[in-house]
Amino acid sequence: QRFPHLLLNRSEVQRQMSGVKNLKDKRVTAVLTNWQQSWQLPRGRFHRLVGNAGELETETEIILNEYDVKDEPFSKEVLNCLPPADFQVTDELIKEQKRKDFRDLCVFSIDPPGCEDVDDALSCVKLKNGNFSVGVHIADVTNFVKPGSPLDREAAE
């Protein structure tokens, strides 16, 4: 267990949890307020009820909180760094950026279902001699994330 048990003020918890009879299968957050050397357990203050243990939304919030991951919408400044929603790769863009065009290959994602950053892919072509050419395709985000930009600063956090 990563965190110690906390001693909380029962009446404070009951006051803030009106209507909840049992905390047994609940996930809550608390703030460690004091832990003197002579105490076996630290004292804490109840913060809030997150939800039922085992539920996806509850467990996700707990993990994000535990690892201090921000879970808030991006600012307009950051969103303005993104390409337009109708962005298309054009022949001119490929030539201008001196890139190879793999659009004629069957390239498929190897990212897991539900992944939001689909950026890893493979291609496979059978050669005349019977061997296979396997291509590994990794998205080049530097094309869209300019150093020092609001998007770059956000990503660095």
Side-chain angles (χ1 to χ4, degrees), residues 25-142:
D25 294 315
K26 304 291 185 212
R27 293 289 221 145
V28 302
T29 57
V31 178
L32 191 148
T33 56
N34 196 355
W35 194 350
Q36 293 185 10
Q37 198 169 16
S38 61
W39 295 350
Q40 185 176 1
L41 293 173
R43 302 323 191 242
R45 179 178 46 81
F46 174 84
H47 180 247
R48 71 180 186 88
L49 171 67
V50 177
N52 295 317
E55 289 181 356
L56 181 60
E57 283 186 33
T58 300
E59 299 301 330
T60 300
E61 185 174 336
I62 291 293
I63 291 168
L64 292 174
N65 188 26
E66 181 176 347
Y67 291 97
D68 200 26
V69 176
K70 289 197 307 187
D71 184 29
E72 55 198 39
F74 292 110
S75 70
K76 261 191 171 178
E77 186 181 40
V78 168
L79 293 174
N80 287 338
C81 295
L82 300 177
D86 61 351
F87 172 81
Q88 294 284 320
V89 175
T90 63
D91 292 334
E92 295 79 29
L93 183 65
I94 290 169
K95 187 175 181 180
E96 176 187 303
Q97 295 184 356
K98 298 178 182 162
R99 297 188 179 265
K100 286 193 172 187
D101 187 353
F102 294 110
R103 292 179 292 174
D104 62 328
L105 294 179
C106 177
V107 178
F108 51 92
S109 171
I110 57 171
D111 288 306
C115 179
E116 291 188 19
D117 62 336
V118 181
D119 57 358
D120 303 315
L122 295 176
S123 63
C124 186
V125 176
K126 189 171 186 177
L127 304 174
K128 289 179 183 174
N129 66 4
N131 291 340
F132 289 90
S133 172
V134 176
V136 178
H137 307 269
I138 309 297
D140 179 10
V141 298
T142 61

